[in-house]
Amino acid sequence: MGLCVLCVGVYAEVERQKNRTLEGLFLAPAVVLILLGLVMFTVSVVGMVGSLRDNKTLLHMFLCVLCVLLLLQAITLAMALIFEKKTVALFQSTIREGIKHYYDDLDFKNILDYVQQKFSCCGGDEYKDWGVNQYHFCNGTGPLACGVPYTCCVRRKVSAPIPVVQAFCITS
């Protein structure tokens, strides 16, 4: 499984490099997939070989790596909770940077579209976050000026003889 995640990450990174627009690590899901796949694959191979060969050294290393990973996760969670304001600020600045380049980076666009649809939200904090995108400036003259992407629209089914889905978009 780790090897599959690693391969998908490498493929996604190769494709992303062809159309490179964003430089941030948090805006590159392919990099996260590569790191995750590499760790998963390495740890799994060490555990598998140690188990197959009854090698206590490899099994001990496998246990230690798993404990270190668990400890790192716990420390990361604690740091995120302790520095909640900085974590939220980092998250918001990353989202705003992604919104700024929304139409330039297909990976981030798909992720943001999915999140906005799944959680019925719009932007990082509110719909006004879309004002940083060049196509959604309120001073712009294009058809998207002072608007939001379609994924910000709230969809609900209207009870009728034939089910109809209505979409309501938030505009300023």
Side-chain angles (χ1 to χ4, degrees):
M1 195 66 166
L3 187 59
C4 289
V5 171
L6 179 62
C7 290
V8 167
V10 168
Y11 173 76
E13 181 63 18
V14 167
E15 290 297 315
R16 188 179 77 88
Q17 290 298 325
K18 289 180 185 176
N19 303 314
R20 187 167 213 173
T21 54
L22 298 179
E23 296 296 328
L25 177 65
F26 295 108
L27 300 176
V31 173
V32 175
L33 285 176
I34 290 171
L35 293 175
L36 182 66
L38 193 61
V39 169
M40 286 173 55
F41 180 72
T42 305
V43 170
S44 298
V45 166
V46 167
M48 181 187 68
V49 171
S51 177
L52 287 175
R53 300 290 178 205
D54 290 331
N55 187 328
K56 289 185 180 184
T57 305
L58 285 178
L59 288 174
H60 183 66
M61 188 185 327
F62 178 68
L63 175 66
C64 290
V65 169
L66 287 181
C67 289
V68 167
L69 289 175
L70 182 63
L71 185 64
L72 285 174
Q73 288 177 357
I75 290 171
T76 303
L77 177 65
M79 297 298 279
L81 292 174
I82 291 171
F83 299 108
E84 184 179 356
K85 289 182 181 180
K86 288 189 178 192
T87 304
V88 169
L90 175 66
F91 178 73
Q92 288 173 345
S93 68
T94 302
I95 293 293
R96 283 208 176 89
E97 184 67 22
I99 288 174
K100 188 175 180 181
H101 299 283
Y102 176 75
Y103 294 105
D104 301 332
D105 188 354
L106 187 60
D107 286 338
F108 191 82
K109 179 183 183 304
N110 289 336
I111 290 171
L112 191 57
D113 285 345
Y114 174 77
V115 168
Q116 287 183 153
Q117 286 177 330
K118 182 75 173 173
F119 298 108
S120 299
C121 60
C122 188
D125 285 329
E126 60 181 353
Y127 73 95
K128 292 179 183 177
D129 291 345
W130 284 98
V132 299
N133 185 285
Q134 65 181 347
Y135 298 104
H136 296 284
F137 285 143
C138 281
N139 297 339
T141 57
L144 299 174
C146 250
V148 294
Y150 184 73
T151 56
C152 280
C153 300
V154 177
R155 290 161 204 70
R156 64 182 173 116
K157 289 186 179 180
V158 176
S159 56
I162 301 173
V164 178
V165 176
Q166 287 184 336
F168 301 96
C169 288
I170 303 169
T171 56
S172 52

